[in-house]
Amino acid sequence: MANYTAADIKALREKTGAGMLDVKKALDEANGDQQKAMEIIRVKGLKGVTKREGRATAEGLIAARVHEGVGYMVEVNSETDFVAKSDPFIAFGENVLEAAIAAGASTIEELQAASVDGKTVEELTTEAGALLGEKIVVRRVARLEGENVAVYLHKTSKDLPAQVGVLLAVEGKDTDNVAHDVAVHIAAMSPKYLDASSIPAEQVETEKRVARETAIAEGKPEQILDKIVEGRLKGFYKENTLLDQDFAKDTKKSVAQILDEAGAKATGFARFRVGA
């Protein structure tokens, strides 16, 4: 007779994020000893790391924080939402964020090399995959400086950790409320750039060329092509740049107008969505 209960199985699943069958096998092998069973799950997980290398990691979490005036944000991925909402995975995400802050990381290479308790993030990621029995990936990091940096984290499901995260840097006095509102807007409307000047020149030229070729294909007169291209380029800016977008809470005004009215100026932002 097994020397463990259903409550033991539940507790070990919550600690490890492992599947029920794997947990039961580990408890059987450990004769009900929770600590030994955790070690068994971890060892078996390490053996399976190479088998997981090609698997998709579309679930996960976003973690973010402002430290000494600088905003940091990381995305950590898992294979399933079951692991994404487990305590060990959430704790791992927080450790990765702490490593990013301690190292001042702004690139994934800097983050992977950052140290936590004597181990690099890359090493800890391998260990997390072994413990959780899934491919775990530290996908990206953002570092944002500014006069004031706001953080917004959004849960798409109450059962999951944050799936969308935003860092927004603003200048001005008493900007907390407007910064929060604009950060929420960024989370919902997913602008790609701060303003038109932030768009790479080659991207602008591509949009102009496509607009012109489309207008020609539509049979528009040659003499109005420039005006059509200009109008479509403005439409591109309005859709893709934060300051030109209609503000989500008041679509009669642009985000730039909302910031101006509050005496604030946006100087940069970062937006992550899990798997996107």
Side-chain angles (χ1 to χ4, degrees):
M1 185 174 177
N3 190 25
Y4 56 86
T5 66
D8 293 328
I9 295 173
K10 181 175 183 292
L12 192 55
R13 288 194 75 198
E14 289 176 349
K15 287 178 183 177
T16 65
M20 184 176 293
L21 185 59
D22 290 335
V23 166
K24 290 181 72 175
K25 286 181 178 178
L27 284 168
D28 285 335
E29 189 174 336
N31 196 30
D33 186 313
Q34 288 259 332
Q35 190 60 41
K36 187 175 180 180
M38 284 187 67
E39 292 176 4
I40 290 168
I41 290 170
R42 183 177 178 186
V43 169
K44 288 184 176 179
L46 282 170
K47 289 180 180 177
V49 165
T50 55
K51 295 179 182 179
R52 294 191 292 271
E53 286 180 355
R55 294 182 187 173
T57 51
E59 304 294 338
L61 61 77
I62 307 296
R65 192 181 313 151
V66 175
H67 177 74
E68 295 182 351
V70 180
Y72 294 88
M73 183 162 61
V74 298
E75 177 183 350
V76 183
N77 298 135
S78 63
E79 294 179 48
T80 65
D81 59 359
F82 178 78
V83 163
K85 63 186 178 184
S86 69
D87 290 341
F89 182 79
I90 293 171
F92 173 69
E94 286 299 316
N95 285 338
V96 172
L97 179 61
E98 289 289 349
I101 293 171
S106 59
T107 68
I108 191 63
E109 292 78 15
E110 291 171 347
L111 179 54
Q112 293 285 14
S115 179
V116 180
D117 296 330
K119 295 182 180 180
T120 65
V121 167
E122 187 173 12
E123 291 170 333
L124 290 175
T125 303
T126 299
E127 291 185 359
L131 175 65
L132 296 168
E134 288 193 3
K135 182 180 178 182
I136 304 299
V137 174
V138 178
R139 184 184 179 200
R140 51 184 168 172
V141 59
R143 181 181 186 274
L144 185 65
E145 294 187 45
E147 185 176 300
N148 301 294
V149 180
V151 172
Y152 175 67
L153 293 170
H154 177 72
K155 289 187 175 185
T156 57
S157 169
K158 65 179 181 180
D159 297 326
L160 295 172
Q163 301 285 287
V164 182
V166 173
L167 297 176
L168 172 66
V170 296
E171 295 177 351
K173 296 181 179 179
D174 302 320
T175 59
D176 288 353
N177 289 336
V178 70
H180 172 77
D181 286 347
V182 173
V184 172
H185 168 97
I186 294 169
M189 305 308 292
S190 59
K192 294 181 176 65
Y193 309 99
L194 177 66
D195 55 22
S197 67
S198 304
I199 304 174
E202 59 270 23
Q203 178 69 34
V204 174
E205 290 306 311
T206 297
E207 293 302 322
K208 286 181 178 179
R209 185 177 67 255
V210 170
R212 180 173 291 274
E213 291 175 356
T214 301
I216 292 172
E218 292 171 346
K220 304 297 184 184
E222 176 71 26
Q223 61 269 26
I224 64 170
L225 286 180
D226 287 345
K227 185 170 291 187
I228 291 172
V229 170
E230 182 182 350
R232 290 182 178 177
L233 197 59
K234 285 182 179 179
F236 173 78
Y237 293 155
K238 188 169 184 177
E239 181 179 351
N240 292 282
T241 66
L242 172 63
L243 298 184
D244 287 318
Q245 284 184 336
D246 292 335
F247 186 49
K249 289 178 68 175
D250 183 356
T251 55
K252 293 180 181 179
K253 297 178 181 179
S254 68
V255 172
Q257 288 175 300
I258 294 297
L259 288 164
D260 286 343
E261 290 173 4
K265 177 184 178 183
T267 57
F269 75 91
R271 178 189 184 273
F272 289 170
R273 183 184 178 97
V274 168

